[in-house]
Amino acid sequence: MVAAVESTDDLEALSLDDARSEAQRLTERILAARDAYYGADAEVVDDATYDGWMHRLEALERLHPEVQGQDSPTLTVGAASGTLFAPVEHAERMLSLDNVFSDDEFLAWTARVERDAGRAPHYLCELKIDGLALSLRYERGRLVTAATRGDGRVGEDVTENVLRIAGIPHVLEGSGHPDLVEVRGEVFFTVADFASLNAFQQEHGDRLFANPRNAASGSLRQKSEGKNERQLRAMDERLSRLRLTVHGIGAWVDPPVETQSEVYGLLHAWGLPTSPYFRVVDSGAGADDFIRHYGEHRHDVEHEIDGIVVKVDELALHDELGATSRAPRWAIAYKYPPEQVNTKLLDIVVSVGRTGRATPFAVMEPTRVAGSVVRQATLHNQDVVKAKGVLIGDTVVLRKAGDVIPEVLGPVVELRDGTERAFVMPQHCPECGFPLAPAKEGDIDLRCPNARSCPAQVRGRVEHIGSRGGLDIEGLGEVSAAALTQPVRPDVPPLVTEAALFELTAEDLFGIDVVVRDAETGLARLLEDGTPDTRSPFRRQRRKTDRAFDPEGPFDGDESAILSKSAEELLANLELAKTKELWRFLVSFNIRHVGPVAARALAQWFGSVEAIRAADRDELAAVEGVGGIIADSLLDWFEVDWHREIVERWQAAGAQLATPGHPGPGAAVAAGGVLDGLTVVATGSLDGYTREGAKDAIIRAGGKAASSVSKKTDFVAAGPGAGSKLDKAEELGVRILDAAQFHVLVTEGPAALGDN
């Protein structure tokens, strides 16, 4: 049985520059998925997709080791803890697991284990529950804290909610408990409880969950503060249905057992919930039999599984085999292939993205595959549609795997009845009516050339402006971007282009209804009943004294309405964004090839948009990190009149398109600073600085803000959640600073730190 993972066949042909670009693409997707899963109550990509990205990145880094930074997802665990809950530092690192996807890969792992161990160990095989990792800290038998994985070192304190989950003992049974033990487990919903929970959600008008894992994550990461009575009841309903299965230990000094299976017996004797689905075998072949059995019977257990975890049973070998920065070498997760289902292809529609690319998407009868209900899947372009041989009306084979999820594999030809019809690629943009055409001769993809005012392209650019890599504007996400550019009403959107973004007023925001668009496909997002997800994101609030208030009526000032919280916050955050760092504005202009790295280099060297615009090609290309391709993109962008209009209107609205106090092109480098010639790495949560703010502080002080730790690194500023960079700094003997020392470093220089 071989799992479908993202192909790596093309990697050997990539140039180093293309390899770096591909590594950046994969890293951004992986980190975004981690942030969504570990740091927010949000839907995330399925395991098969995430594993495919990781598999491809690992292969890419093996072929091109120079593209792997110290912060690569292949070297780190989870994501930094969020801000909803207090941070909890694990007494022992909470590692992840490496994955294999085939029998050959699994048996190769057992061969390495037996070679390194010098003998054939026993293996404990157990089901890999598709849930949320949890650590329970018991001191002298009493539950003290419960924490999520976080980044493996620091998680979130969810003790209050865990105490309300049935089956988790607040005090361990028996006697002779250790002074400190961390018990590791998985929180999940059974299949039956998940169905009941969604029925409860639907009955009370709340959103349905896509799959049990996301429901478990969202349910555990709830705060009771600020909730009304109905919301508190719903919270209790969700928590009461959660279950926990423990599967190991973290911190424990000298456990009185010698094997992992004995650990399970002891945990069970303490009253902790352990799984009945495990077996100890004496060979890799025996473990492979266990994997095959549950591959055929994965739906026979009460909860969802996505694979099998195999561990060396002998605890003494755990220390001997050791661990990497993110995973133990004595355990592996065998991931089952994603499920395939048949469904009906109802239509093929074309969506236009931020860059104008016109992409066909399959619209299918809703069907559940790999843990979620699927209605749409990309078909890339008209040539792919032809190559797959699918007709509208076909029964098609659908799976979730690889870079494109979900994926239509092809038609079930024998089920055709003659009513099917071929797809014809439209000649005009479905959003604005402009004729579609290749960007250049020989291109397969068709694009809409109406970049200025095609609503779909404007929507994508506005959403990009609000993203973390852009101006990082809270409240300017996919819903608000669609509301401002593609509303159902009014007929004329508030933003025809992004030029008017900083000119928005309260009046512009009232009376907007919008169909929410899927961020990936650009198509209308559908509810469980198949109807479009229509919202009024900026609906006005009623004043308590105003009985005649009409939320649908025209805006008439404060006499009859007040701003909704979402509208108020968006306008306030737009105002704050006007003073963001220059590099963020450069990224937000949506200039081809100008990402955060190039934008930082340009901002540091030139100091203003005006200076960049006045520079010639040689001056632009000479900046380290820019080069000829980006220089050409910059020159081309400023040649377009409506691009220049964006700059002029943003500046007229108060956007700060220059770095205050910057002495002019190149002068910042020539003038030096308190960190002139020094390389500094900032990692973890530094009090008083955002992640980007810390980098900017280093750059403004004349230093190099590096992303990885090496022998050339002079200082590492490390806060909670620092992860592998802190380990590397300690290994190399690089001086490590806390947040207070970092502030001294970037404001006064290294001499002010003294020798301590």
Side-chain angles (χ1 to χ4, degrees):
M1 80 185 72
V2 178
V5 296
E6 187 165 348
S7 173
T8 59
D9 295 341
D10 62 319
L11 295 182
E12 291 187 7
L14 294 182
S15 67
L16 182 57
D17 285 345
D18 289 340
R20 284 198 176 99
S21 297
E22 178 68 356
Q24 181 179 356
R25 179 188 76 90
L26 292 166
T27 296
E28 289 174 352
R29 289 188 171 190
I30 292 167
L31 293 180
R34 284 185 179 180
D35 286 346
Y37 179 58
Y38 291 106
D41 180 5
E43 293 184 5
V44 295
V45 297
D46 63 273
D47 268 359
T49 304
Y50 182 87
D51 291 338
W53 293 339
M54 285 291 289
H55 182 74
R56 185 172 171 85
L57 183 58
E58 287 166 351
L60 184 64
E61 291 175 346
R62 284 195 297 270
L63 288 169
H64 300 279
E66 54 268 60
V67 307
Q68 183 188 57
Q70 289 297 321
D71 56 352
S72 170
T74 62
L75 300 176
T76 57
V77 177
S81 57
T83 57
L84 284 176
F85 298 87
V88 173
E89 185 172 354
H90 302 302
E92 187 76 23
R93 279 194 306 160
M94 197 170 178
L95 299 176
S96 185
L97 289 173
D98 286 333
N99 300 319
V100 292
F101 302 92
S102 69
D103 293 340
D104 289 344
E105 288 181 340
F106 173 69
L107 294 176
W109 174 79
T110 60
R112 286 195 300 273
V113 167
E114 292 168 13
R115 179 199 65 203
D116 294 344
R119 61 187 174 93
H122 291 82
Y123 295 101
L124 182 146
C125 312
E126 61 189 351
L127 307 186
K128 187 176 184 300
I129 301 173
D130 197 12
L132 177 73
L134 188 71
S135 179
L136 303 175
R137 180 186 178 110
Y138 285 91
E139 295 182 2
R140 290 177 290 279
R142 187 173 298 275
L143 180 61
V144 176
T145 55
T148 61
R149 185 199 307 274
D151 66 357
R153 288 182 176 274
V154 179
E156 292 180 314
D157 188 342
V158 290
T159 311
E160 181 180 343
N161 288 344
V162 165
L163 291 173
R164 297 155 73 179
I165 298 176
I168 300 180
H170 302 179
V171 178
L172 298 178
E173 297 176 8
S175 60
H177 305 116
D179 289 342
L180 166 65
V181 62
E182 282 184 337
V183 179
R184 304 286 163 75
E186 202 82 8
V187 174
F188 63 94
F189 284 108
T190 66
V191 173
D193 278 337
F194 175 69
S196 298
L197 173 62
N198 262 348
F200 177 88
Q201 295 284 108
Q202 188 170 32
E203 180 184 346
H204 291 82
D206 294 325
R207 72 178 180 89
L208 303 184
F209 291 102
N211 54 60
R213 184 184 63 179
N214 288 351
S217 176
S219 299
L220 191 63
R221 299 184 68 259
Q222 300 177 90
K223 280 283 194 180
S224 56
E225 290 87 344
K227 283 184 166 57
N228 58 35
E229 187 175 343
R230 187 192 70 81
Q231 291 169 327
L232 288 172
R233 284 200 304 272
M235 180 176 174
D236 284 337
E237 181 72 20
R238 290 164 66 177
L239 289 171
S240 69
R241 296 178 186 273
L242 281 174
R243 296 292 179 267
L244 172 76
T245 290
V246 298
H247 52 60
I249 53 174
W252 191 359
V253 178
D254 296 327
V257 288
E258 296 182 353
T259 64
Q260 181 76 22
S261 48
E262 288 179 300
V263 169
Y264 286 6
L266 186 54
L267 294 177
H268 181 73
W270 285 349
L272 288 158
T274 56
S275 172
Y277 304 105
F278 76 88
R279 183 190 307 163
V280 177
V281 298
D282 58 7
S283 67
D288 195 50
D289 288 342
F290 185 91
I291 291 169
R292 288 177 174 277
H293 172 80
Y294 278 102
E296 298 170 0
H297 298 276
R298 60 194 291 185
H299 298 296
D300 293 351
V301 295
E302 64 270 19
H303 51 70
E304 289 197 347
I305 64 172
D306 58 355
I308 297 296
V309 175
V310 180
K311 305 173 182 177
V312 171
D313 196 36
E314 291 86 351
L315 296 181
L317 289 178
H318 290 193
D319 291 335
E320 187 174 328
L321 293 168
T324 67
S325 61
R326 66 178 298 272
R329 291 191 174 94
W330 45 265
I332 201 75
Y334 185 108
K335 288 298 192 75
Y336 287 133
E339 294 174 295
Q340 296 182 178
V341 297
N342 290 355
T343 188
K344 199 76 169 179
L345 179 61
L346 303 177
D347 201 358
I348 298 176
V349 299
V350 172
S351 170
V352 175
R354 173 166 65 102
T355 63
R357 179 184 175 189
T359 304
F361 279 87
V363 179
M364 298 162 289
E365 285 185 351
T367 186
R368 188 172 183 84
V369 55
S372 62
V373 175
V374 174
R375 295 184 175 86
Q376 300 164 346
T378 182
L379 291 168
H380 296 288
N381 56 55
Q382 66 270 31
D383 284 8
V384 171
V385 177
K386 186 180 298 184
K388 288 183 180 290
V390 293
L391 303 177
I392 297 171
D394 266 336
T395 296
V396 294
V397 180
L398 176 71
R399 74 173 181 188
K400 275 195 170 185
D403 183 49
V404 181
I405 53 108
E407 179 184 4
V408 173
L409 296 181
V412 184
V413 177
E414 56 269 26
L415 295 182
R416 285 178 175 166
D417 60 12
T419 62
E420 299 80 14
R421 68 185 192 280
F423 166 71
V424 179
M425 189 72 180
Q427 296 182 341
H428 295 83
C429 174
E431 299 285 355
C432 67
F434 265 61
L436 298 174
K440 60 180 183 294
E441 187 176 352
D443 277 1
I444 296 174
D445 293 333
L446 299 180
R447 295 181 184 273
C448 171
N450 181 24
R452 179 186 185 276
S453 53
C454 174
Q457 295 183 62
V458 179
R459 184 200 77 245
R461 294 198 300 268
V462 169
E463 188 175 340
H464 177 68
I465 291 167
S467 70
R468 288 192 303 172
L471 283 172
D472 195 15
I473 302 172
E474 187 72 26
L476 189 60
E478 61 179 28
V479 176
S480 53
L484 294 170
T485 59
Q486 291 180 291
V488 175
R489 68 171 191 143
D491 295 333
V492 178
L495 295 181
V496 178
T497 77
E498 60 266 45
L501 179 64
F502 292 105
E503 301 167 9
L504 289 171
T505 66
E507 185 173 2
D508 295 323
L509 300 183
F510 286 141
I512 296 177
D513 289 333
V514 63
V515 173
V516 178
R517 303 277 181 148
D518 184 270
E520 184 74 17
T521 67
L523 301 176
R525 183 174 293 172
L526 304 179
L527 301 174
E528 287 294 324
D529 62 2
T531 60
D533 183 359
T534 305
R535 305 183 192 179
S536 302
F538 307 121
R539 188 179 296 275
R540 289 178 292 166
Q541 296 174 338
R542 177 197 296 272
R543 286 188 181 279
K544 292 182 179 179
T545 57
D546 181 13
R547 296 179 180 277
F549 171 70
D550 178 11
E552 307 291 339
F555 175 70
D556 52 5
D558 284 342
E559 293 300 317
S560 65
I562 58 175
L563 282 172
S564 67
K565 185 177 181 181
S566 58
E568 193 173 57
E569 289 179 348
L570 176 59
L571 292 175
N573 289 331
L574 284 170
E575 191 64 30
L576 288 173
K578 294 178 182 178
T579 59
K580 290 287 180 77
E581 301 92 334
L582 174 60
W583 71 267
R584 290 187 176 277
F585 283 99
L586 296 177
V587 173
S588 297
F589 288 151
N590 281 277
I591 305 170
R592 191 180 184 193
H593 302 308
V594 178
V597 174
R600 285 178 180 278
L602 289 163
Q604 183 182 9
W605 183 265
F606 290 101
S608 70
V609 173
E610 182 180 357
I612 295 171
R613 183 174 171 181
D616 61 28
R617 185 184 189 278
D618 289 342
E619 291 171 320
L620 292 168
V623 177
E624 184 179 355
V626 178
I629 293 175
I630 294 176
D632 289 336
S633 286
L634 287 161
L635 293 172
D636 290 344
W637 193 85
F638 281 111
E639 281 293 313
V640 179
D641 57 357
W642 65 270
H643 291 165
R644 296 193 298 272
E645 180 191 4
I646 294 171
V647 175
E648 291 160 5
R649 290 179 68 175
W650 283 14
Q651 196 157 24
Q656 185 174 277
L657 301 185
T659 301
H662 193 286
V669 174
V674 296
L675 294 183
D676 187 21
L678 298 179
T679 298
V680 182
V681 173
T683 180
S685 177
L686 293 169
D687 190 27
Y689 295 89
T690 63
R691 181 179 178 182
E692 300 300 338
K695 291 182 180 178
D696 289 332
I698 296 166
I699 293 170
R700 285 197 302 271
K704 179 181 179 182
S707 60
S708 60
V709 180
S710 70
K711 293 180 180 178
K712 296 180 180 180
T713 305
D714 296 289
F715 296 94
V716 170
S724 61
K725 294 181 186 179
L726 179 58
D727 295 336
K728 187 69 173 180
E730 292 172 342
E731 177 187 328
L732 295 175
V734 177
R735 185 168 179 182
I736 299 168
L737 309 178
D738 60 21
Q741 292 170 316
F742 174 71
H743 180 71
V744 173
L745 178 71
V746 296
T747 54
E748 302 177 45
L753 293 171
D755 296 327
N756 298 322

